[in-house]
Amino acid sequence: AEHQHARYNPLRDDWVLVSAHRVKRPWQGQLEKPPPEDVPRWDPNNPLCPGATRANGEVNPQYEGTFVFPNDFPALQPDAPEPDDSDHPLFRAAPARGVCKVMCFHPWSDLTLPLMSLPEIRAVIDAWAELATELGASYPWVQIFENKGAMMGCSNPHPHCQVWASSFLPNEACLEDRTQRQHLSQHGVPMLLEYAEQEARRKERLVVENADWLVVVPYWATWPYQTLLLPRRHVCRLQDLSDSERDNLASIMQRLLIKYDNLFEVSFPYSMGWHGAPTGPYLEEDCRHWQLHAHYYPPLLRSATVRKFMVGYEMLAQAQRDLTPEQAAERLRSLPEVHYK
């Protein structure tokens, strides 16, 4: 808690430098602007609102629950041409195809997941599972992710996420596939199933738990209040969750996200995403080494206005954090589960 040391991340096969003493240093750097509290519930000029016109001229339906539509500015398209052959091994290219979708969580722009009801959050989870099944029937990787808050690059305050399905396994998926496969081969148990059991027993990094799930600040966390959401049983993919597991997932997500908002009494920014076993052609393969999990990466460090920047040493050497994961977990764990609003 007082001295610098390095911690190993077995999921990424890398290290993070923990420098707990640095959290005491005075801050004279960038101060962020807290997110606005006066977001209108409905705005005809907001392209994610019911009945609004999007950039491509399409008009959204008057949806009352979740709403999924193709991204008007997709990073991946299904009919991209093959790249030219390389004339040198240092100049390689590969085909990249896919589809990108946007999913609105709720018709109201002034709501976020922690302010939604449990049935509304459960509807989001069901829609995630449906998309994972639909797109995963043909695509090897389906990445569900949410960028919350302008600080994390979200350009629209309406509650929504994105779903990108790709014809290839992205870098993080390939890395986690390799490390989890190696762990199962060497130890005979899925890495994150064993890790969840260890964290549930030790409790020092535990934030919230219920019958089916637990949330921890991982031992190797990089971001100040980073968390890892894990199921208690061995489950490979989001679409494999039972009804009760989906209900308890809605509950634990709400509890975690309320704590996040209560930490600095602000709508807490983060990037989050689900990782599970690959799909498409991998549905016929043995993927027992995979364990479903969700990563939450929030940038705020000391207050609603002071964030952690991943620059300098982090970009050129290795990840570094000031607050220990145990300190972060204790602070999150002690927060109330009634939203400050």
Side-chain angles (χ1 to χ4, degrees), residues 108-125:
W108 295 355
S109 293
D110 58 340
L111 282 191
T112 55
L113 280 171
L115 295 172
M116 289 165 55
S117 69
L118 288 177
E120 289 168 340
I121 299 173
R122 168 65 196 265
V124 170
I125 293 165

Side-chain angles (χ1 to χ4, degrees), residues 233-273:
R233 79 169 174 100
H234 185 208
V235 54
C236 290
R237 300 178 177 94
L238 193 63
Q239 53 268 44
D240 299 335
L241 296 174
S242 67
D243 274 348
S244 62
E245 285 171 330
R246 294 183 188 199
D247 284 340
N248 279 330
L249 176 55
S251 173
I252 205 163
M253 282 174 55
Q254 185 188 61
R255 292 169 64 196
L256 169 66
L257 297 179
I258 285 174
K259 284 179 178 289
Y260 269 160
D261 280 8
N262 284 346
L263 180 60
F264 299 127
E265 295 197 349
V266 67
S267 184
F268 205 72
Y270 58 73
S271 282
M272 73 79 65

Side-chain angles (χ1 to χ4, degrees), residues 49 53 62 68 85 124 136 147 209 226 230 235 262 309 339:
C49 282
T53 302
Q62 295 291 341
V68 179
D85 291 335
V124 170
N147 294 326
E209 63 179 330
Q226 176 181 336
L230 295 162
V235 54
N262 284 346
F309 287 92
H339 200 278

Side-chain angles (χ1 to χ4, degrees), residues 154-230:
C154 181
S155 59
N156 193 304
H158 196 90
H160 72 285
C161 73
Q162 297 189 55
V163 183
W164 293 12
S166 61
S167 62
F168 56 91
L169 289 187
N171 293 343
E172 293 296 312
C174 287
L175 186 54
E176 290 194 1
D177 184 73
R178 174 176 64 81
T179 57
Q180 290 180 97
R181 189 184 298 275
Q182 288 175 344
H183 188 92
L184 181 65
S185 174
Q186 294 170 5
H187 302 282
V189 61
M191 177 199 294
L192 291 180
L193 182 63
E194 181 178 11
Y195 179 69
E197 291 169 351
Q198 286 288 322
E199 289 287 30
R201 181 173 61 81
R202 295 169 186 256
K203 297 194 181 301
E204 57 189 328
R205 286 169 294 275
L206 191 65
V207 178
V208 286
E209 63 179 330
N210 62 26
D212 293 312
W213 300 86
L214 67 158
V215 175
V216 300
V217 177
Y219 177 79
W220 53 80
T222 299
W223 295 93
Y225 292 96
Q226 176 181 336
T227 54
L228 185 63
L229 173 57
L230 295 162

Side-chain angles (χ1 to χ4, degrees), residues 9-81:
N9 180 346
L11 194 57
R12 299 196 76 259
D13 190 23
D14 63 10
W15 293 80
V16 57
L17 174 63
V18 182
S19 311
H21 56 287
R22 273 170 51 90
V23 81
K24 300 172 184 175
R25 75 191 193 281
W27 183 260
Q28 295 180 316
Q30 170 76 23
L31 295 179
E32 306 293 333
K33 196 183 218 177
E37 298 280 343
D38 57 347
V39 175
R41 178 155 291 181
W42 184 83
D43 181 353
N45 296 314
N46 185 330
L48 298 186
C49 282
T53 302
R54 303 203 308 274
N56 63 358
E58 291 193 23
V59 178
N60 295 335
Q62 295 291 341
Y63 64 93
E64 298 181 352
T66 59
F67 170 51
V68 179
F69 62 92
N71 194 315
D72 297 327
F73 303 98
L76 291 164
Q77 296 176 321
D79 54 357

